[in-house]
Amino acid sequence: MNNKGQMLIEAALILPFLFLLLFGIVDLSRYFYTLNSVCSAAGAGARAASLQVPPPTGVQSGQLSSPANSIERAISSNLFTYINLDEVTYDLTITDSSGNVVTRAAQSGDQITVTVRWPKFTMITPLISRMIPADATGAASMRYE
């Protein structure tokens, strides 16, 4: 009795699922690696903003194509190198002790929130890409001292 044909058919049925599982694990690892980088960059930006003198003002948004201030430099230096800085945006908001967004300069006790967004993350596994969002977003808040 020859089992070579049976083994070939079994392998042909099982290998696509094994490859999907393997590449799915690689894709999810890349996504969480990127998400960790973006969250770390948001934390660094919030830390830089909470220590900035003169204090940051109001609501700020921008791109990191050419970091101009200490907050943008802190964010860009904490992103992993394969992330294109031209595609990264950030938002900075200041809220007072009652939770209201303010447009004035930050004062002691105000909460500074930095949100960093990279919308160009792409998955290589088709099935996994339908379950995970295409953008990596991280946010961090710190109190202005």
Side-chain angles (χ1 to χ4, degrees):
M1 186 119 188
N2 190 355
N3 291 334
K4 287 184 181 179
Q6 178 185 353
M7 288 176 22
L8 185 65
I9 290 174
E10 288 175 355
L13 290 173
I14 296 297
L15 279 178
F17 294 110
L18 288 177
F19 282 129
L20 182 65
L21 180 65
L22 176 69
F23 288 118
I25 290 170
V26 169
D27 253 355
L28 286 175
S29 299
R30 284 180 51 243
Y31 178 72
F32 288 119
Y33 185 73
T34 302
L35 195 59
N36 184 38
S37 170
V38 170
C39 289
S40 174
R47 179 74 177 151
S50 70
L51 298 174
Q52 183 175 332
V53 176
T57 58
V59 178
Q60 299 177 15
S61 295
Q63 281 191 298
L64 298 177
S65 53
S66 57
N69 58 41
S70 63
I71 299 167
E72 292 176 358
R73 283 191 296 277
I75 293 170
S76 65
S77 68
N78 279 280
L79 288 170
F80 292 120
T81 55
Y82 71 87
I83 295 177
N84 185 358
L85 294 181
D86 293 334
E87 300 167 345
V88 177
T89 59
Y90 77 95
D91 297 317
L92 182 142
T93 55
I94 301 170
T95 54
D96 61 12
S97 57
S98 341
N100 301 319
V101 176
V102 296
T103 56
R104 59 169 166 71
Q107 298 174 349
S108 183
D110 287 348
Q111 195 78 10
I112 297 175
T113 303
V114 174
T115 304
V116 178
R117 207 170 276 108
W118 184 47
K120 301 285 183 161
F121 183 79
T122 54
M123 295 271 194
I124 54 175
T125 311
L127 188 61
I128 302 293
S129 66
R130 293 184 183 151
M131 295 185 286
I132 301 294
D135 66 333
T137 302
S141 296
M142 292 206 176
R143 203 176 94 179
Y144 186 76
E145 297 298 328

